[in-house]
Amino acid sequence: LSVAVLISGTGSNLRALLEAADDPAYPARIVAVGADRDASGLAHAEAFGVPSFVVGYRDHPTREAWGEELGRRLDAVQPDLIVLSGLMRLLPPALVARWAPRIVNTHPAYLPEFPGAHGVRDALAAGAAQTGASVIVVDDGVDTGPILAQERVPVLPGDTEDTLHERIKPVERRLLIDVVRRIAADELPLAGGAHP
Ligand code: GRF
C-alpha cells in the first residue's frame, strides 16, 4: 500500500510511520510527505529518503486554490492512502471528494469528544478525567468521519497541554501504525469504517 502523509508540525507521528514502514514486513510504504508550511517534520522524510513537498497555505489566495495545488501534487504521487498526521488545515470539500474514503486522520482526543484544532487544550479546560486518541476516515466535517480506532488516555493532575499531548501522541502513533497496517492487509474497510 502506498501512503502519502501530510503534516504541519514536528511530524512525530510521521516519524513513527516511517520507522514502521522501514520494516520490509510492514505492508505499507510511505511514498511522499507533504506539508502546508516549512514544517520541521519534513526532516524525517529526508532522513528516510522519502520525497517531500510544501504547498504553502499562505502562498494561495484561498483554501480552494491551496487545495487545488495540493491535489495536483497528490495526483502526481497517486497514493493508495493519504494520512493526515498533524495537518492543521481542513481539506477543501473538492479534495476530500476526490480522495474519500482513502484519507485518514489522527486526532488527539476520544472523538466525538473534543473535535477541532485544540482537542488537547479543550479536554484539559473541560476538566476531563480522561481523553484519548482517535484515527478516523476524513469526511467533509471537522473530525466527524467514521472512527477506525480509538483508545482512552488518562488526564493526570497537574497536566499541561504539552504533558497531556505528549502522553496522547504515543497512543496516537500506535493506533495509526496499526490502522495503516490493517488497511494495507484489507482487514479494515474504509467506507463506513468498522470501529472495534
Ligand atoms: C498530533 O497529536 C495530531 O493528532 C495533532 O497534532 C499533533 C501533531 O504532532 N493534530 P506531530 O506533528 O505528529 O508531532
Side-chain angles (χ1 to χ4, degrees):
L1 185 85
S2 62
V3 179
V5 184
L6 301 183
I7 65 169
S8 295
T10 59
S12 65
N13 286 345
L14 161 68
R15 180 170 184 91
L17 261 184
L18 286 163
E19 287 167 351
D22 216 27
D23 175 349
Y26 191 72
R29 290 286 161 272
I30 312 301
V31 295
V33 174
D36 68 322
R37 68 191 76 174
D38 189 17
S40 58
L42 291 166
H44 297 313
E46 194 166 342
F48 281 80
V50 174
S52 63
F53 57 81
V54 174
V55 180
Y57 190 79
R58 304 203 184 292
D59 301 342
H60 294 78
T62 63
R63 176 190 301 279
E64 285 65 30
W66 172 74
E68 281 164 23
E69 172 60 22
L70 181 57
R72 280 191 289 276
R73 307 303 291 264
L74 289 168
D75 284 341
V77 173
Q78 280 301 328
D80 299 316
L81 180 70
I82 297 169
V83 171
L84 310 185
S85 181
L87 183 72
M88 299 310 279
R89 298 284 175 197
L90 289 181
L91 299 180
L95 193 54
V96 175
R98 162 83 179 77
W99 289 92
R102 295 181 294 142
I103 314 177
V104 300
N105 180 32
T106 62
H107 184 73
Y110 200 81
L111 292 171
E113 298 166 4
F114 311 118
H118 306 291
V120 180
R121 188 174 73 190
D122 295 345
L124 214 47
Q130 55 178 7
T131 180
S134 307
V135 181
I136 63 170
V137 179
V138 172
D139 67 8
D140 263 349
V142 179
D143 298 323
T144 51
I147 296 171
L148 298 175
Q150 60 183 172
E151 186 173 309
R152 281 290 183 187
V153 175
V155 180
L156 301 182
D159 259 341
T160 64
E161 184 175 347
D162 283 349
T163 59
L164 179 52
H165 207 164
E166 285 314 306
R167 186 175 313 117
I168 294 169
K169 280 186 179 182
V171 176
E172 236 180 314
R173 295 196 266 274
R174 180 163 39 79
L175 293 179
L176 180 60
I177 287 165
D178 191 46
V179 162
V180 171
R181 183 205 324 275
R182 287 162 60 204
I183 292 169
D186 286 328
E187 292 165 13
L188 194 53
L190 277 171
H195 170 25

